[in-house]
């Protein structure tokens, strides 16, 4: 059996940026198996030495040296990792000099901001936006739609809830969602549901392929009318007809990740990023 | 007034990786004002030409050329952007050759995976984990604690809910949360609440400085006992006493972002990343 290649994600703060970098590269090497190790909060030379020892031990044990993705701003700390026996890809090492040149400025010394001393308002807006998404999930309340940046609509199990939460957590966007029920779709045939009428400009539709919807619904309620293919197909057709005929922007999410759905909605609806 | 420097985030897919890269660099230049423009889904030479035209227009209008952070795998597309009048920082341009050398392998051609053809199981586990967090939020249900990877505990408004949602969305971690009420803290003084007893190993405490808690609670219920400084201080002291005396790992989240809280919990509790 082929040995897995060890991948270290190292940072003085969280390893999220290092992981994002690593994954955007490694995803293009489908045939290699990786063994990921995350080492956050490496913010002293001492901790860097410990991490380098761990890297070197891996390099000695395996046929190929480990690969390191890192975001280490402090040069002393970074140097320890760069001198290890791993193959190091560091964002600051690769880009910091060039960006200082481009900006005609040295970076602010210290790593305080990378350590998360966010300003209160940015933190608050994300938490507030998540709480908004929770209060306005699945049509449970429609009275705060005035405050919504966007209102996602779609039949049951088209990814509305996770997308709203992600929009709140990642971008500080106030996203409500409203499920299109059979009543909305059949009885009020071809009409935008009354409660949504005043917010036509905020609506964004989500749809999915019927095969996929059937699979998702079957996990929740197997062998039910709700999860039958015919039912899924009918609801989706009615919902899509509504989107098209009422000129509501919409998206088929069948093979999209939550990030991609959220980014696409941001783009198509020209929503402002309130936080990142 | 100083003009803002335009920053473009360009990608053939979502711009999330490009934004992560850009922000991890720009956060260290506190004194410069930036004007961000996101351009996702630039996946053809034609779209790249349009984007380059937008970049060049900005370069002509402003004193300094715009800065471009990009993740453009396809060389033809990338070349168009690299030849624009912006200053381009592209992840693939910077790292792809070196990582191909390190892996002794060419990257898989095509950008299908970057386009989000995730495997089903990874998508499902994140959605399932988010739904788990919603069902097990704020102590509303405790019967599924067997399935929890971690159970966050803390007094009201210590960031439990957003952290659980983030752990689910980002890492596929099943995170429940249980609010420590006055009853838990006073009447059952110094005891782990009965419902949590069987899950001692899964508990993780969140705490916060009383000044900050007072501010957060005051936004919700001003001039109440709940938001009084004395009350905040007392509840936090009791909760922290519980964490320390029962050897429950805990974290003071006062100046941390949700990402940092989540990453720290992952690290301290050695939780496996189920998705990224």
């Amino acid at each position: 059996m082929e040995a897995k290649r060890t991948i270290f994600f190292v940072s003085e703060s969280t390893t999220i940026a290092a992981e994002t970098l690593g994954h955007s590269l490694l995803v293009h090497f489908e045939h290699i198996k990786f063994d990921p190790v995350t080492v956050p909060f490496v913010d002293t030379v001492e901790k860097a030495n410990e991490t380098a020892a761990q890297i070197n031990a891996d390099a000695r044990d395996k046929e190929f040296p480990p690969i390191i993705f890192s975001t280490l701003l402090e040069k002393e700390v970074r140097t320890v990792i760069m001198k290890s026996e791993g193959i190091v890809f560091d964002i600051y090492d690769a880009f910091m000099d060039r960006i200082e040149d481009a900006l005609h400025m040295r970076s602010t010394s210290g790593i305080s901001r990378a350590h998360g001393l966010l300003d209160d308002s940015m933190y608050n807006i994300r938490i507030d936006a998540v709480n908004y998404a929770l209060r306005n999930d699945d049509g449970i309340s429609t009275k705060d739609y005035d405050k919504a940046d966007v209102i996602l609509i779609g039949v049951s199990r088209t990814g509305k809830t996770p997308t709203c939460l992600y929009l709140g957590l990642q971008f500080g966007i106030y996203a409500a969602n409203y499920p299109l029920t059979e009543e909305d779709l059949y009885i009020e045939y071809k009409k935008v549901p009354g409660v949504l009428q005043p917010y036509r400009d905020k609506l964004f539709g989500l749809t999915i392929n019927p095969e996929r919807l059937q699979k998702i619904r079957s996990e929740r309620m197997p062998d039910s009318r709700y999860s039958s293919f015919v039912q899924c197909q009918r609801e989706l057709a009615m919902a899509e007809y509504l989107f098209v005929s009422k000129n509501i922007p919409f998206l088929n999410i069948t093979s999209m990740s939550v990030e991609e759905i959220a980014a696409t909605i941001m783009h198509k609806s020209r929503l402002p990023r309130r936080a990142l």
Side-chain angles (χ1 to χ4, degrees), chain A:
Chain A
M1 209 185 86
E2 206 191 345
K4 287 183 180 177
R5 191 79 177 250
T6 311
I7 310 291
F8 285 85
F9 300 102
V10 182
S11 174
E12 71 252 321
S13 174
T14 78
T15 55
I16 292 170
E19 288 179 76
T20 303
L21 167 68
H23 283 265
S24 45
L25 291 164
L26 296 179
V27 78
H28 303 293
F29 298 87
E30 294 184 52
H31 304 300
I32 298 187
K33 298 276 175 234
F34 299 109
D35 188 13
V37 178
T38 51
V39 195
F41 310 114
V42 178
D43 52 5
T44 62
V45 169
E46 196 188 346
K47 286 184 198 166
N49 280 323
E50 283 169 27
T51 308
Q54 205 183 338
I55 291 166
N56 295 343
D58 186 87
R60 278 191 301 273
D61 285 356
K62 302 277 180 70
E63 190 184 348
F64 297 107
I67 292 172
I68 325 298
F69 295 103
S70 64
T71 54
L72 295 164
L73 185 64
E74 291 289 322
K75 274 198 181 137
E76 267 193 295
V77 172
R78 187 166 75 221
T79 303
V80 175
I81 303 299
M82 302 285 290
K83 285 185 176 166
S84 75
E85 290 162 45
I87 301 171
V88 182
F89 298 82
D90 184 277
I91 285 183
Y92 299 123
D93 180 65
F95 294 120
M96 197 47 117
D97 289 349
R98 263 190 74 212
I99 200 153
E100 287 184 339
D101 288 350
L103 294 171
H104 308 289
M105 190 178 275
R106 299 271 129 220
S107 64
T108 321
S109 67
I111 51 172
S112 60
R113 294 206 52 193
H115 264 209
L117 294 173
L118 296 173
D119 76 68
D120 272 13
S121 64
M122 194 177 279
Y123 178 75
N124 282 342
I125 210 165
R126 294 170 59 185
I127 301 302
D128 199 46
V130 169
N131 287 329
Y132 180 87
L134 292 172
R135 282 196 313 275
N136 294 277
D137 184 38
D138 208 31
I140 48 177
S141 168
T142 59
K143 66 181 168 32
D144 283 345
Y145 282 2
D146 276 339
K147 205 186 171 185
D149 292 308
V150 64
I151 302 168
L152 302 187
I153 61 176
V155 306
S156 171
R157 299 281 127 168
T158 45
K160 299 183 296 296
T161 300
T163 305
C164 285
L165 293 169
Y166 191 86
L167 286 166
L169 269 175
Q170 186 77 9
F171 301 121
I173 289 293
Y174 291 76
N177 76 81
Y178 179 91
L180 294 173
T181 62
E182 291 197 80
E183 190 175 345
D184 291 324
L185 294 170
Y186 295 178
I187 302 173
E188 295 290 323
Y189 186 51
K190 300 183 188 178
K191 279 190 191 160
V192 173
V195 68
L196 301 175
Q197 292 275 7
Y199 310 103
R200 286 285 299 271
D201 293 349
K202 299 183 179 189
L203 301 183
F204 196 103
L206 296 183
T207 189
I208 190 169
N209 291 352
E211 294 77 11
R212 180 101 178 97
L213 184 62
Q214 183 189 22
K215 199 167 159 241
I216 296 169
R217 288 187 172 184
S218 294
E219 280 169 24
R220 199 180 173 199
M221 284 193 214
D223 306 318
S224 62
R225 177 164 169 277
Y226 172 77
S227 64
S228 72
F229 184 75
V230 170
Q231 178 68 14
C232 292
Q233 201 175 31
R234 191 181 294 152
E235 288 184 32
L236 289 169
M238 304 283 275
E240 288 172 28
Y241 182 85
L242 182 71
F243 301 154
V244 172
S245 62
K246 298 299 174 188
N247 218 5
I248 296 166
F250 71 102
L251 189 63
N252 184 319
I253 64 139
T254 304
S255 42
M256 297 178 84
S257 66
V258 180
E259 289 88 336
E260 289 170 314
I261 302 167
T264 306
I265 294 168
M266 296 288 291
H267 185 57
K268 290 199 178 185
S269 296
R270 299 175 180 278
L271 296 173
R273 276 156 165 76
R274 299 237 174 71
L276 191 89

